[in-house]
């Protein structure tokens, strides 16, 4: 199969205003380095060091082997160029978009680097994304290829690919080419391969302030939005994060969270470790048992977790004595960490906690490693850059008094000013002067640290995964007999929030089936991504009387969340 159909270029993406760009260049944040330059420079610098340890999709998924493989930077370089060549041989051209959807394996790394080396732009999808989201990501960017590992996470990615490709074809669009990285791949580069400059034949010079990749937003309205990040802005956030988090060649970074998430990728994450010639250890399952084994075997020094995971580590560690002497830093982010949990991390796990509050749109806050314990346990830190501008505003958009909670707005060298191809959302998500409205309620302390205290956006945060309430509601409205659907975040001691779905109408699940199982399977059939499926379903013949009348949807969700929460 071949992607030979020439893909149209991306719709124009407005650069940030020159007065800001020139300031960011003058400060050294924006350099001329592009991703391919960066990758080649790193690969040349660290030849014999161990770059990565983990499972290989080529061994594990076809044969169920659980043997880990280790690559030096030199071997990683070869694999990345082979991946670039593989994509090129399938017709992927410089400037094309490539949907990457890989589990935490060595190929995650070689194909991410390979996409960049091929001059293409990765779209970082999660293994749990399903047909609806994938159709949207591939369709709206005209992606040339979709890279997946058939059978990973017990999932038939080929079938998912077929499902959404059919939808795209029906809409008159050209689906991407399927690239299954569990298959045998080319193992030599052709003589014609220009090792140093595989993007030499690119039609237009890649400038570092052009779009390099797409991250995905959690979404507050409809499907996840595409976040265009530039070479210059993303690499700045990686370099600065590596400094703040003191990543060095001695660092051994355990990758437990889905690798494609912005936190795992760049805060300082996989790219920060790569930049400093550190070692990445990919965990193939998120259980604390597996992580503890890997920490002991490979001398892991740092790890990034979401609050529910760190809680499961604490639970296991209190059940039996735990020795993890190599582990120095545990980053926790993606959702609110309770101070009472934060306080236990140092004493029980013997590592320094670093709180991280970030967003794929840009802004990332860190507590610093040498902050006092109270700051580390009770705040989510402060921004990467002194040029990150933060405003805390009330519902009228006026700045609140210091110490009061308000919505966080932000603008800065690595925060986007528009989503890709989402004009309507852009009007509400950004202010006229380019601030991103985060939808987060924060308090800003006099020392500059922020405390995340809540949220005004219509989103559920389930263990760090973000679900737009209206996407779930719109899809649920299509179920037979449903007159209204309200998605609610139910407080949960383990996950932070569970996804509750209140359905109003005369629903009759087929005989013998529980409502929850039935609703989940119906939504799954409609292509809803796995992590967005409801944990609990409530069926009502009509809304409770108290909710009838002049009540906004937001208030309705809040009221039903209170009504149906266990506590
Ligand atoms: C990270 O990125 P996203 O894009 O999945 O989600 C961003 C949202 C934030 O707007 C906020 O609502 C929430 O996730 N969030 C937190 C938090 N970190 C993120 N809420 C409370 N406490 C925290 N520590 O989640 C992300 C991106 C880069 C680094 C870290 C996290």
């Amino acid at each position: 199969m071949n992607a030979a159909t020439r893909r149209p270029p991306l719709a124009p993406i407005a650069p940030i205003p020159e007065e800001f760009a020139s300031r960011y260049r003058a400060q050294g944040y924006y350099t001329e380095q592009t991703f391919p330059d960066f990758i080649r420079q790193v690969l040349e610098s660290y030849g014999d060091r161990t770059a990565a340890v983990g499972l290989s999709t080529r061994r594990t998924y076809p044969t169920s082997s659980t043997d880990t493989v280790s690559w030096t930077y030199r071997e990683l370089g070869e694999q990345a160029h082979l991946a670039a060549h593989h994509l090129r041989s399938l017709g992927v051209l410089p400037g094309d978009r490539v949907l990457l959807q890989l589990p935490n394996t060595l190929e995650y790394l070689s194909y991410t680097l390979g996409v960049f080396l091929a001059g293409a732009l990765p779209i970082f999808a999660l293994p749990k994304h399903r047909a609806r989201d994938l159709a949207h990501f591939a369709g709206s960017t005209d992606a040339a290829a979709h890279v997946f590992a058939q059978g990973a996470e017990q999932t038939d990615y080929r079938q998912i690919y077929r499902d959404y490709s059919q939808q795209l074809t029906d809409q008159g669009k050209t689906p991407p080419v399927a690239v299954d990285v569990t298959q045998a791949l080319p193992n030599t580069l052709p003589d014609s391969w220009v090792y140093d400059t595989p993007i030499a034949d690119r039609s237009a010079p890649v400038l570092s302030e052009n779009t390099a990749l797409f991250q995905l937003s959690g979404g507050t309205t409809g499907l996840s939005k595409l976040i265009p990040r530039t070479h210059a802005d993303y690499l700045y956030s990686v370099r600065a994060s590596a400094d703040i988090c003191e990543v060095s060649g001695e660092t051994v970074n355990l990758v437990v969270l889905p690798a494609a998430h912005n936190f795992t990728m760049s805060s300082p994450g996989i790219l920060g470790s790569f930049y400093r010639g550190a070692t990445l250890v990919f965990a193939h399952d998120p259980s604390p048992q597996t992580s503890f084994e890997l920490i002991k075997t490979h001398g892991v020094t740092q790890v990034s977790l979401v609050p529910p995971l760190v809680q499961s580590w604490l639970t296991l560690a209190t059940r039996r004595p735990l020795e993890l002497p190599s582990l120095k830093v545990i980053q926790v982010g993606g959702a609110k960490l309770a101070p009472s949990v934060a306080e236990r991390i140092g004493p029980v796990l013997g590592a320094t906690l670093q709180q991280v509050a970030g967003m794929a749109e840009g802004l990332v806050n860190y507590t610093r490693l040498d902050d006092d314990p109270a700051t580390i346990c009770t705040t989510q830190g402060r921004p990467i850059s002194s040029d990150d501008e933060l405003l805390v505003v009330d519902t009228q958009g006026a700045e609140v008094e210091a110490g009061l909670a308000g919505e966080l707005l932000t603008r800065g060298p690595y925060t986007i000013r528009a989503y890709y191809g989402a004009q309507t959302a852009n009007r509400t998500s950004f202010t006229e002067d380019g601030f991103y409205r985060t939808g987060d309620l924060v308090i800003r302390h006099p020392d500059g640290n922020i405390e995340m205290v809540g949220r005004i956006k219509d989103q559920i945060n389930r263990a760090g995964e973000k679900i737009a309430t209206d996407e779930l509601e719109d899809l649920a409205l299509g179920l037979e007999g449903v007159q209204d659907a309200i998605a609610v975040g139910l407080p949960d001691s383990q996950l932070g929030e569970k996804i509750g779905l209140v359905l109003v109408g005369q629903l009759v699940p087929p005989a013998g089936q529980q409502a929850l199982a039935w609703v989940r399977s119906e939504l799954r059939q409609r292509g809803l991504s796995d992590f967005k499926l409801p944990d609990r379903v409530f069926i009502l013949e009509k809304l409770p009387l108290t909710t009838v009348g002049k009540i906004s949807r937001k208030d309705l969700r809040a009221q039903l969340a209170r009504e149906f929460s266990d506590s």
Side-chain angles (χ1 to χ4, degrees):
M1 219 192 314
N2 200 294
T5 332
R6 184 96 187 106
R7 306 288 164 159
L10 282 175
I13 298 173
I16 67 165
E18 181 55 27
E19 82 179 271
F20 289 88
S22 56
R23 198 167 86 217
Y24 300 153
R25 279 178 222 128
Q27 296 281 14
Y29 306 151
Y30 289 2
T31 73
E32 290 185 3
Q33 195 177 49
T34 62
F35 262 94
D37 303 333
F38 164 74
I39 291 166
R40 282 195 296 269
Q41 198 179 63
V42 168
L43 292 173
E44 276 162 25
S45 309
Y46 302 120
D48 291 327
R49 284 203 203 157
T50 304
V53 182
L55 297 185
S56 162
T57 55
R58 274 171 256 177
R59 293 194 188 192
T60 301
Y61 299 106
T63 65
S64 305
S65 150
T66 50
D67 295 344
T68 51
V69 180
S70 161
W71 286 346
T72 62
Y73 274 83
R74 193 182 330 286
E75 288 164 327
L76 172 59
E78 284 161 17
Q79 292 298 325
H81 278 279
L82 284 168
H85 165 55
H86 184 207
L87 295 168
R88 284 296 191 85
S89 68
L90 294 169
V92 173
L93 293 169
D96 278 351
R97 280 71 60 197
V98 174
L99 191 51
L100 269 178
Q101 192 187 25
L102 292 175
N104 291 5
T105 52
L106 295 183
E107 282 75 9
Y108 177 86
L109 197 54
S110 57
Y111 272 82
T112 297
L113 302 184
V115 173
F116 285 124
L117 288 174
L121 289 72
I123 304 165
F124 287 105
L126 299 168
K128 287 193 162 45
H129 276 127
R130 293 292 174 265
R132 264 171 69 84
D133 278 315
L134 296 169
H136 166 56
F137 304 149
S140 56
T141 61
D142 257 303
H146 174 188
V147 182
F148 58 79
Q150 173 65 0
E153 310 213 349
Q154 286 88 48
T155 301
D156 187 350
Y157 287 103
R158 238 172 223 295
Q159 186 57 47
I160 295 170
Y161 166 79
R162 277 191 220 107
D163 289 348
Y164 84 80
S165 292
Q166 189 56 52
Q167 285 175 39
L168 291 179
T169 310
D170 294 346
Q171 295 163 15
K173 293 183 178 157
T174 311
V177 164
V179 185
D180 176 5
V181 297
T182 65
Q183 301 295 301
L185 304 169
N187 56 15
T188 50
L189 290 167
D191 292 341
S192 60
W193 186 257
V194 189
Y195 205 87
D196 277 345
T197 49
I199 55 168
D201 63 345
R202 61 199 179 200
S203 42
V206 172
L207 295 174
S208 67
E209 289 169 37
N210 286 348
T211 302
L213 58 96
F214 289 94
Q215 270 292 350
L216 304 170
S217 86
T220 50
T221 46
L223 294 161
S224 301
K225 286 182 280 295
L226 289 141
I227 298 173
R229 303 285 302 258
T230 69
H231 300 261
D233 93 59
Y234 212 62
L235 287 173
Y236 165 57
S237 77
V238 168
R239 290 193 310 268
S241 295
D243 283 343
I244 291 169
C245 305
E246 301 176 17
V247 179
S248 76
E250 307 301 308
T251 299
V252 182
N253 180 4
L254 180 68
V255 185
V256 186
L257 299 176
H261 193 280
N262 195 57
F263 181 16
T264 333
M265 199 57 200
S266 66
S267 308
I270 293 173
L271 289 172
S273 292
F274 176 76
Y275 167 55
R276 287 279 158 83
T279 300
L280 289 160
V281 177
F282 287 96
H284 45 277
D285 79 65
S287 71
Q289 289 83 351
T290 300
S291 290
F292 292 169
E293 267 318 305
L294 290 170
I295 294 170
K296 282 188 209 146
T297 313
H298 301 290
V300 166
T301 62
Q302 96 101 43
V303 65
S304 314
L305 302 174
V306 286
L309 263 185
V310 83
Q311 265 179 278
S312 71
W313 284 36
L314 288 167
T315 307
L316 193 61
T318 36
R319 261 195 241 133
R320 56 174 177 153
L322 190 71
E323 289 285 315
L324 301 172
S326 63
L327 191 63
K328 301 281 181 292
V329 178
I330 299 179
Q331 289 187 313
V332 181
K336 181 70 189 265
L337 179 66
S340 58
V341 178
E343 280 160 14
R344 297 176 56 214
I345 292 175
V348 177
L349 298 168
T352 302
L353 166 66
Q354 178 175 52
Q355 295 216 42
V356 188
M359 47 210 72
E361 285 80 358
L363 179 72
V364 181
N365 302 280
Y366 296 105
T367 56
R368 302 314 197 247
L369 299 177
D370 57 0
D371 278 347
D372 59 83
T375 302
I376 291 180
C377 291
T378 60
T379 82
Q380 280 64 53
R382 50 196 180 276
I384 290 180
S385 179
S386 52
D387 278 288
D388 280 320
E389 300 170 68
L390 273 62
L391 298 175
V392 182
V393 302
D394 63 20
T395 47
Q396 308 303 310
E399 281 196 74
V400 301
E401 274 175 49
L404 293 184
E407 186 189 5
L408 175 65
L409 309 188
T410 186
R411 178 171 78 175
Y414 59 98
T415 297
I416 56 160
R417 287 168 179 248
Y419 292 110
Y420 180 69
Q423 271 168 355
T424 316
N426 285 340
R427 278 193 285 275
T428 50
S429 300
F430 299 88
T431 65
E432 264 171 28
D433 48 1
F435 280 82
Y436 167 56
R437 296 183 205 273
T438 65
D440 291 316
L441 283 178
V442 307
I443 294 174
R444 199 166 190 204
H445 294 290
D447 59 7
N449 288 300
I450 61 161
E451 203 184 317
M452 309 283 275
V453 295
R455 172 183 76 208
I456 55 168
K457 51 190 165 191
D458 296 325
Q459 198 178 66
I460 300 170
N461 186 336
R462 182 188 193 274
E465 311 265 29
K466 316 301 184 316
I467 298 97
T469 43
D470 74 349
E471 184 194 359
L472 185 52
E473 292 171 357
D474 288 352
L475 206 60
L477 276 174
L479 303 182
E480 211 182 308
V482 172
Q483 284 153 19
D484 202 354
I486 304 105
V488 293
L490 302 172
D492 183 80
S493 59
Q494 243 111 65
L495 299 168
E497 283 181 307
K498 273 188 176 167
I499 307 170
L501 181 60
V502 183
L503 299 176
V504 185
Q506 303 286 331
L507 269 87
V508 192
Q513 239 187 355
Q514 298 289 323
L516 176 65
W518 175 67
V519 171
R520 282 171 65 97
S521 87
E522 288 289 312
L523 294 174
R524 203 179 264 130
Q525 264 176 40
R526 287 163 169 77
L528 185 66
S529 290
D530 253 22
F531 60 92
K532 302 178 182 176
L533 293 168
D535 298 293
R536 301 192 60 190
V537 166
F538 307 91
I539 297 181
L540 305 180
E541 275 179 30
K542 51 184 194 305
L543 284 173
L545 273 181
T546 48
T547 63
V548 180
K550 280 196 179 167
I551 182 166
S552 73
R553 264 197 102 65
K554 198 186 275 295
D555 292 339
L556 177 61
R557 287 188 190 113
Q559 187 167 329
L560 289 173
R562 277 193 299 277
E563 209 139 310
F564 288 110
S565 68
D566 297 327
S567 46

